[in-house]
Amino acid sequence: MNMDVPFAPVVVTAAQMQAIEARIFSHGMPVAALMEKVAQRITQRIQQRYPLPQFPRAAILVGPGHNGGDALVVARELHHRGYQVQMHQPVSTLKPLTADHARYAQHLGLSFCQNSQDWLAADFIVDGLFGFGLTRPVSGALADLVAVINQSSVPVVSIDLPSGLHTDSGAVLGTAIAARHSYCLGLWKRAFFQTAALPYLGQAELIPFDIPALDQAAILSQSAPIQLITPSLVRQLLPWDRPPAAHKYQVGSLLLICGSQQYPGAALLCARSAQASGVGMLYVAVPQSLRLWVVSQIPEAVVIACPETDTGAIAALPSDIHWERIDAIALGPGLGDSPIVPALLAVDKPLVLDADALNQLAQMPVEATLQARSSPTLLTPHGGEFKRLFPREAERNGDLMNCVRDLASQLHVVLVLKGAKTFIAGPDGCLWINPESTPALARGGSGDVLTGLMGGLLAQHPQPAASSGWITQLAATAVWWHAQAGCFAAQRYSQLSVSPSLLVDTLKDSLAHLRLA
């Protein structure tokens, strides 16, 4: 799903959107006036996407509620602009305002057809069956209608949300329309960032309708917000410049503990991305047998040789590590079955846990272990690791946003759930979502790159790390930069060409590109 700008910084539930709209209406905005405003903007976008000379025939699916009313106003406006419009109304009972627009459409001579072969001959379909707030499964004749639409090759434009999706969880309620374009109205709904909904959304765009800030704040201030990561958030934390008199120990010291004979490349990817973060001093602890190889690849790092287990993993850390010089630790990529994880969880330093460190944590009393830590802890699981860590919570009503947010708050950690839309939650109850990424990152080793990058940024901001909100934003910055590098590389080459090694190289290029943008 491509996220076109501009986009709103907040993400709302169906209940929050209903409350915002109710507040707007209670202060005098006529429902009919807002419907006209929204529909005019949708019509303008449709004209841009489907210009009349190439796409003269439009089919409009009219639902019983105000989503159907929006669709009817769009139908009227397309008709006035020269499109050949046919409408299909599968539900006979309409809300009063929607019924008024249906009568006027009939007065204008717009045709209502029941034969699917008639309206499937259109150049595009406008889906106005159900908007946000749907809770009942789509079944019977409506489910058959959705199946016919999805089996056709006619592109679909969905108003607000593809019909059949749950607004909050993104779950498919029986069945759902697979849209080519989804025009989200007012504020982003949660479904647009839920994995279950992504195959149905197509290209998503926000159609704002000028919600007053005071009405938005009155509702959203009642709980911790869900927000989208934006360039304005991350710019203050990206490593643009350094003070003129800076020296290496003033710009962060990071200890990476990673790699094994089975997974040597993880150490290299993690270390190279940490370098790209701009960290001043980089210490890399690896098994003894990997030391010379890592030194040859990253001569700038201080490579610490560690005794090995029989399987080639780190058996223990040397006793002469100068912990007072370390600002942050990143632990886990390629670690294998190393027994050192419990001891490092007890170290009073900011800590990023990934990969094998998370798998080992899952074998421990997770809640007690994490709550016992006094320094900031960042967990970066993908979906499988998340289920191993939190098996009961992972399937809670399919609502991962609330699940991630609650866990981060309860355990006093920053929890980064990696996926197509990565969620970042902190102890303060806030949740950040990375809105733009690329499937080019679906490669083994991409997570190792993120771990090094996140550790490097964390080490460069040791003092603000005392603030849980600041730590959450640091994690969000790393996620955003990592994804932007993936998008930049995919655009320059191709999605299939973006190896983790290329991703590391692109971190620096993408940062320069972003600075010039």
Side-chain angles (χ1 to χ4, degrees), residues 224-225 405 408-409 412-413 425-432 467-470 472-473:
R405 183 159 64 173
S409 180
H412 307 293
V413 300
D428 57 356
C430 291
L431 179 76
W432 294 92
S467 165
S468 60
W470 191 267
T472 310
Q473 291 185 28

Side-chain angles (χ1 to χ4, degrees), residues 197-232:
L198 297 184
Y200 299 87
L201 297 170
Q203 188 173 40
E205 300 179 37
L206 185 71
I207 304 292
F209 53 76
D210 307 315
I211 296 174
L214 61 93
D215 293 315
Q216 180 175 313
I219 303 302
L220 299 185
S221 63
Q222 299 173 17
S223 60
I226 296 178
Q227 302 172 85
L228 300 184
I229 305 172
T230 64
S232 61

Side-chain angles (χ1 to χ4, degrees), residues 149 178 244 282-283 382 432 508:
I149 293 170
L282 178 60
Y283 302 88
H382 56 56
W432 294 92
K508 293 169 281 189

Side-chain angles (χ1 to χ4, degrees), residues 389-466:
L389 283 167
F390 311 110
R392 289 177 298 176
E393 293 86 349
E395 301 298 335
R396 188 182 69 181
N397 300 322
D399 189 352
L400 283 176
M401 284 188 193
N402 281 341
C403 184
V404 168
R405 183 159 64 173
D406 291 348
L407 283 168
S409 180
Q410 293 165 11
L411 301 176
H412 307 293
V413 300
V414 174
L415 182 52
V416 179
L417 179 57
K418 297 182 290 192
K421 304 296 173 188
T422 294
F423 303 155
I424 306 101
D428 57 356
C430 291
L431 179 76
W432 294 92
I433 300 174
N434 185 43
E436 184 177 11
S437 189
T438 171
L441 296 177
R443 301 281 289 268
S446 291
D448 303 336
V449 175
L450 178 60
T451 300
L453 188 63
M454 193 173 295
L457 290 179
L458 182 59
Q460 292 176 70
H461 296 275
Q463 295 304 317

Side-chain angles (χ1 to χ4, degrees), residues 463-503:
Q463 295 304 317
S467 165
S468 60
W470 191 267
I471 285 286
T472 310
Q473 291 185 28
L474 276 171
T477 298
V479 167
W480 184 85
W481 186 5
H482 180 261
Q484 288 295 314
C487 293
F488 186 78
Q491 292 168 1
R492 176 178 286 183
Y493 303 101
S494 71
Q495 288 185 356
L496 297 181
S497 300
V498 185
S499 67
S501 294
L502 176 59
L503 181 64

